[in-house]
Short mmCIF file of all heavy atoms in Angstrom, two decimals:
data_model
loop_
_atom_site.label_atom_id
_atom_site.label_comp_id
_atom_site.label_asym_id
_atom_site.label_seq_id
_atom_site.Cartn_x
_atom_site.Cartn_y
_atom_site.Cartn_z
N MET A 57 -18.67 93.48 -260.14
CA MET A 57 -18.14 94.74 -259.93
C MET A 57 -18.34 95.26 -258.47
O MET A 57 -17.43 95.82 -257.84
CB MET A 57 -18.64 95.80 -260.90
CG MET A 57 -18.20 95.54 -262.35
SD MET A 57 -16.46 95.73 -262.60
CE MET A 57 -16.22 97.38 -262.38
N GLU A 58 -19.55 95.07 -258.03
CA GLU A 58 -19.87 95.45 -256.65
C GLU A 58 -19.08 94.66 -255.64
O GLU A 58 -18.56 95.24 -254.64
CB GLU A 58 -21.39 95.37 -256.40
CG GLU A 58 -21.76 95.79 -255.05
CD GLU A 58 -23.24 95.68 -254.84
OE1 GLU A 58 -23.96 95.23 -255.80
OE2 GLU A 58 -23.69 96.01 -253.72
N LEU A 59 -18.95 93.35 -255.94
CA LEU A 59 -18.18 92.53 -255.00
C LEU A 59 -16.71 92.93 -254.97
O LEU A 59 -16.17 93.02 -253.95
CB LEU A 59 -18.27 91.08 -255.48
CG LEU A 59 -17.51 90.06 -254.62
CD1 LEU A 59 -17.97 90.07 -253.17
CD2 LEU A 59 -17.65 88.64 -255.22
N MET A 60 -16.14 93.23 -256.14
CA MET A 60 -14.75 93.68 -256.23
C MET A 60 -14.58 95.02 -255.50
O MET A 60 -13.56 95.24 -254.78
CB MET A 60 -14.32 93.90 -257.71
CG MET A 60 -14.15 92.52 -258.41
SD MET A 60 -12.93 91.50 -257.60
CE MET A 60 -11.46 92.53 -257.87
N SER A 61 -15.54 95.93 -255.63
CA SER A 61 -15.40 97.24 -254.93
C SER A 61 -15.49 97.05 -253.43
O SER A 61 -14.70 97.67 -252.69
CB SER A 61 -16.55 98.15 -255.40
OG SER A 61 -17.74 97.61 -255.07
N ARG A 62 -16.30 96.07 -253.00
CA ARG A 62 -16.32 95.77 -251.53
C ARG A 62 -14.97 95.21 -251.04
O ARG A 62 -14.49 95.60 -249.99
CB ARG A 62 -17.42 94.78 -251.21
CG ARG A 62 -18.89 95.35 -251.41
CD ARG A 62 -19.89 94.31 -251.07
NE ARG A 62 -21.21 94.85 -251.22
CZ ARG A 62 -22.32 94.10 -251.05
NH1 ARG A 62 -22.25 92.80 -250.68
NH2 ARG A 62 -23.47 94.71 -251.14
N VAL A 63 -14.39 94.38 -251.83
CA VAL A 63 -13.11 93.75 -251.49
C VAL A 63 -12.01 94.84 -251.40
O VAL A 63 -11.20 94.87 -250.51
CB VAL A 63 -12.71 92.63 -252.45
CG1 VAL A 63 -11.28 92.17 -252.18
CG2 VAL A 63 -13.66 91.45 -252.33
N GLU A 64 -12.03 95.72 -252.36
CA GLU A 64 -11.05 96.86 -252.43
C GLU A 64 -11.22 97.80 -251.28
O GLU A 64 -10.25 98.19 -250.63
CB GLU A 64 -11.16 97.56 -253.77
CG GLU A 64 -10.72 96.72 -254.98
CD GLU A 64 -10.87 97.51 -256.27
OE1 GLU A 64 -11.49 98.64 -256.18
OE2 GLU A 64 -10.52 96.97 -257.29
N ARG A 65 -12.48 98.05 -250.91
CA ARG A 65 -12.72 98.94 -249.78
C ARG A 65 -12.29 98.30 -248.52
O ARG A 65 -11.77 98.96 -247.55
CB ARG A 65 -14.22 99.27 -249.70
CG ARG A 65 -14.69 100.29 -250.76
CD ARG A 65 -16.02 100.90 -250.34
NE ARG A 65 -17.06 99.93 -250.27
CZ ARG A 65 -17.88 99.58 -251.26
NH1 ARG A 65 -17.74 100.15 -252.44
NH2 ARG A 65 -18.79 98.58 -251.10
N HIS A 66 -12.51 96.99 -248.39
CA HIS A 66 -12.03 96.24 -247.23
C HIS A 66 -10.52 96.32 -247.10
O HIS A 66 -10.03 96.43 -246.03
CB HIS A 66 -12.53 94.82 -247.22
CG HIS A 66 -12.11 93.92 -246.09
ND1 HIS A 66 -12.58 94.13 -244.79
CD2 HIS A 66 -11.22 92.96 -245.96
CE1 HIS A 66 -12.00 93.31 -244.01
NE2 HIS A 66 -11.16 92.54 -244.73
N LYS A 67 -9.86 96.10 -248.17
CA LYS A 67 -8.42 96.16 -248.16
C LYS A 67 -7.86 97.54 -247.81
O LYS A 67 -6.86 97.61 -247.00
CB LYS A 67 -7.76 95.74 -249.51
CG LYS A 67 -7.91 94.26 -249.85
CD LYS A 67 -7.29 93.93 -251.20
CE LYS A 67 -7.45 92.46 -251.53
NZ LYS A 67 -6.82 92.09 -252.81
N VAL A 68 -8.51 98.58 -248.30
CA VAL A 68 -8.07 99.93 -247.99
C VAL A 68 -8.32 100.20 -246.50
O VAL A 68 -7.52 100.79 -245.83
CB VAL A 68 -8.84 100.95 -248.84
CG1 VAL A 68 -8.61 102.37 -248.35
CG2 VAL A 68 -8.40 100.83 -250.30
N SER A 69 -9.44 99.76 -245.98
CA SER A 69 -9.78 100.01 -244.59
C SER A 69 -8.77 99.22 -243.67
O SER A 69 -8.38 99.74 -242.68
CB SER A 69 -11.18 99.59 -244.27
OG SER A 69 -11.42 98.21 -244.52
#
Side-chain angles (χ1 to χ4, degrees):
M57 293 295 292
E58 183 180 357
L59 179 61
M60 288 300 295
S61 61
R62 289 180 181 178
V63 173
E64 291 175 357
R65 286 198 299 268
H66 177 70
K67 288 182 178 180
V68 171
S69 62

